[in-house]
């Protein structure tokens, strides 16, 4: 069965298959928890549960389309409320996105573009493929202008809510989650984000807004939106050549050029949050290119389908958390974490101390240079992002912080911003950049406070 037909047909059957897989895993969870208690293991972390989590993930992969995307979202955001065996298994879905044959997609593109279709020579080989869409390169016949078409898989809008509801029912049947107001709010936020990802009119507007914001800053480039070839299911953008951060051409750049790219990436985060007011929340490496010539480099920003507008209250708490962490003020940091929705107001002193230490570690690269660990500095006193192994250290500490009952299921905004920040830090680590982030962070936070005070 083709991907197209698997998306369009059998909604009831697909939902039933997921529900049955969920019931099976629910039994494994109950049994695994009982066995785990006898062995002194963490409930739900048994080999039996891991096996059933992998089985369930394989079922999502078989069903393809929206189920894969929903599973990927759960892997990224569900770590705050789903058992570790499940989120570990769901991460396998990242490798299960395969392109649709052009013969299955061409009719939909032709229908979307109408008479404009004849103006383009479209390469049938995709440049990239994801769970909800794939990208094809095209050339305008009249003048040779090169563009790309991000093309949504046919029929997604018709099944997206049914598929999402089926996965939520599965999670409830398995007892991986408990029904409640907090979970309902989380899932509605995830549903909204899923709809944003297939709303190409919205993405077109966000891309144009970003292009306007960064137009005067030559460190960044946002591709031009070609409105005449856009529709509800096709997004047309300028074609930009460049390299992924993981490619050898980037690693071969000089240390100073990689430092500048790392600084630009970190500054981009604070520009989005405190200046533009809109945070692009998907830090996947595929959403960025590095465009270089003999002397200069640019970050190319490719995807604005997943964005978040943060309110002033959230930005103030986030700024306070950074400032408090840098001066070791655990009382202010704990208050800020409560305000951000990730620490309970009735948390014990032990829980506050544990989670504050976790946040201080995460924000280590933004600390005053005098307080940076000496073992991670070069001979100029600059932070060595690659040598620091920050993400590995943070990951180990996160497990102990989340284990306490005083760790609250965080707000969507906090979860998305931590996801973004860890993605930014990982990007800079891959660059193996060497610089201190303190001045960049405080320039934007202090500037924003000055404007709203």
């Amino acid at each position: 069965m083709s991907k197209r037909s698997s998306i369009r047909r059998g909604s009831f059957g697909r939902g039933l298959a997921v529900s049955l897989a969920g019931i099976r895993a629910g039994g494994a969870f109950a049994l695994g928890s009982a066995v785990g208690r006898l062995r002194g293991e963490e409930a739900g972390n048994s080999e039996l549960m891991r096996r059933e989590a992998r089985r369930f993930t394989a079922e999502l992969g078989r069903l393809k389309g929206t189920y894969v995307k929903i599973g990927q979202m759960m892997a990224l955001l569900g770590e705050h409320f789903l058992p570790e065996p499940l989120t570990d298994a769901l991460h396998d879905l990242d490798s299960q996105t395969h392109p649709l044959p052009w013969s299955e997609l061409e009719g939909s593109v032709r229908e979307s573009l109408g008479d404009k279709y004849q103006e383009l020579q479209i390469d049938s080989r995709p440049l990239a493929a994801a769970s909800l869409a794939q990208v094809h390169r095209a050339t305008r016949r009249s003048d040779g202008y090169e563009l790309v078409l991000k093309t949504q898989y046919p029929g997604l809008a018709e099944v997206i809510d049914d598929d999402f509801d089926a996965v939520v029912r599965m999670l409830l049947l398995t007892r991986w989650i408990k029904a409640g107001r907090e979970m309902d709010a989380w899932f509605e936020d995830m549903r909204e984000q899923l709809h944003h990802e297939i709303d190409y009119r919205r993405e077109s507007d966000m891309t144009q807004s970003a292009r306007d914001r960064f137009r005067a800053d030559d460190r960044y480039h946002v591709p031009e939106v070609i409105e005449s070839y856009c529709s509800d299911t096709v997004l047309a953008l300028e074609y930009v050549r460049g390299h992924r951060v993981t490619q050898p051409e980037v690693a071969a750049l000089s240390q100073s050029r990689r430092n500048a790219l790392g600084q630009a990436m970190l500054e981009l985060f604070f520009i989005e949050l405190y200046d533009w007011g809109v945070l692009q929340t998907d830090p996947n490496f595929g959403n960025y290119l590095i465009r270089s010539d003999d002397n200069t480099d640019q970050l190319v920003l490719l995807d604005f389908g997943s964005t978040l507008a943060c309110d002033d209250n959230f930005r103030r708490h986030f700024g306070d958390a950074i400032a408090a962490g840098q001066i070791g003020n655990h009382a202010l940091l704990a208050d800020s974490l409560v305000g951000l929705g990730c620490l309970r107001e009735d948390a014990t002193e032990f829980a506050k101390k544990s989670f504050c230490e976790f946040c201080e570690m995460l924000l280590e690269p933004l600390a005053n240079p005098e307080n940076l660990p000496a073992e991670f500095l070069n001979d100029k006193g600059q932070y060595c992002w690659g040598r620091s192994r920050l993400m590995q250290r943070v990951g180990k500490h996160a497990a102990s912080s989340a284990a306490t009952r005083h760790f609250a299921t965080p707000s969507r905004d906090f979860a998305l911003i931590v996801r973004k920040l860890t993605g930014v830090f990982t990007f800079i680590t891959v660059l193996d950049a060497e610089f201190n982030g303190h001045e960049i962070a405080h320039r934007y936070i202090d500037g924003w406070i000055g404007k709203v005070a």
Side-chain angles (χ1 to χ4, degrees), residues 2 40-41 65 68 91 98 123 146 250 287 289 318-319 326 354 370-371 390 412 445:
S2 72
E41 300 172 359
V68 171
H91 277 294
H98 304 289
D123 190 339
E146 293 182 304
V250 175
N287 291 336
L289 288 175
F318 186 75
Q326 292 178 355
S354 175
E370 297 177 357
N371 298 325
L390 177 66
R412 175 197 64 165
I445 295 172

Side-chain angles (χ1 to χ4, degrees), residues 32-303:
S33 295
V35 173
R37 283 193 296 272
L38 290 174
R39 293 180 178 175
E41 300 172 359
E42 182 182 349
N45 209 20
S46 68
E47 180 54 37
L48 176 61
M49 186 58 187
R50 290 187 178 278
R51 186 168 63 249
E52 291 304 325
R54 290 193 296 269
R55 192 190 303 272
F56 172 72
T57 298
E59 183 67 16
L60 291 185
R62 186 185 70 78
L63 292 169
K64 298 183 170 55
T66 48
Y67 277 117
V68 171
K69 181 62 181 183
I70 293 165
Q72 290 170 334
M73 289 175 63
M74 294 287 183
L76 287 169
L77 300 177
E79 61 188 13
H80 301 288
F81 52 83
L82 293 176
E84 181 183 348
L86 182 58
T87 54
D88 285 349
L90 289 172
H91 277 294
D92 291 342
L93 290 171
D94 291 338
S95 61
Q96 296 188 27
T97 53
H98 304 289
L100 189 71
W102 178 245
S103 58
E104 296 285 344
L105 195 59
E106 182 180 10
S108 174
V109 176
R110 186 184 293 272
E111 181 181 349
S112 295
L113 296 181
D115 294 340
K116 293 286 185 181
Y117 182 86
Q118 300 300 329
E119 298 178 8
L120 300 176
Q121 178 67 45
I122 304 174
D123 190 339
S124 62
R125 297 165 299 179
L127 282 176
S131 51
L132 301 180
Q134 62 193 50
V135 178
H136 286 259
R137 188 172 169 182
T139 303
R140 191 160 55 198
R141 298 179 190 275
S142 62
D143 59 3
Y145 182 83
E146 293 182 304
L147 61 152
V148 294
L149 303 177
K150 180 179 178 180
T151 305
Q152 193 175 118
Y153 295 132
L156 283 181
E158 301 159 17
V159 301
I160 198 166
D161 282 313
D162 286 344
D163 288 354
F164 189 85
D165 290 341
V167 175
V168 172
R169 286 197 300 271
M170 174 279 300
L171 292 170
L172 291 169
L173 283 169
T174 62
R175 289 172 286 173
W176 275 328
I177 61 168
K178 294 181 180 179
R181 204 173 298 171
E182 195 175 62
M183 285 297 100
D184 289 346
W186 250 105
F187 285 127
E188 284 311 303
D189 285 338
M190 293 180 73
R191 185 195 301 273
E192 179 184 31
Q193 184 177 348
L194 192 61
H195 276 276
H196 284 172
E197 298 247 1
I198 64 168
D199 186 348
Y200 284 6
R201 298 294 187 184
R202 178 183 182 275
E203 184 173 351
S204 174
D205 290 343
M206 295 304 302
T207 302
Q208 187 57 55
S209 176
R211 182 172 170 82
D212 292 342
R213 169 58 187 80
F214 294 106
R215 190 187 305 274
D217 193 332
D218 60 10
R219 295 172 301 170
Y220 311 104
H221 179 78
V222 178
E224 179 184 3
V225 178
I226 315 302
E227 288 287 354
S228 58
Y229 300 115
C230 291
S231 71
D232 290 345
T233 57
V234 174
L235 179 64
L237 300 170
E238 162 199 8
Y239 172 65
V240 181
R241 290 175 173 81
H243 296 103
R244 304 293 186 199
V245 68
T246 52
Q247 290 184 282
E249 291 84 352
V250 175
L253 295 173
S254 68
Q255 185 68 61
S256 61
R257 290 175 70 168
R258 286 183 284 112
N259 291 350
L261 283 166
Q263 290 170 321
M265 189 64 173
L266 181 61
E267 192 161 347
L268 175 64
F269 170 82
F270 286 101
I271 290 173
E272 289 179 350
L273 182 58
Y274 283 103
D275 190 351
W276 187 30
V278 177
L279 196 71
Q280 192 271 20
T281 57
D282 186 357
N284 187 297
F285 287 174
N287 291 336
Y288 304 94
L289 288 175
I290 294 173
R291 182 166 70 170
S292 301
D293 60 23
D294 291 340
N295 301 305
T296 60
D297 309 287
Q298 274 187 324
L299 285 176
V300 182
L301 317 180
L302 295 177
D303 193 312

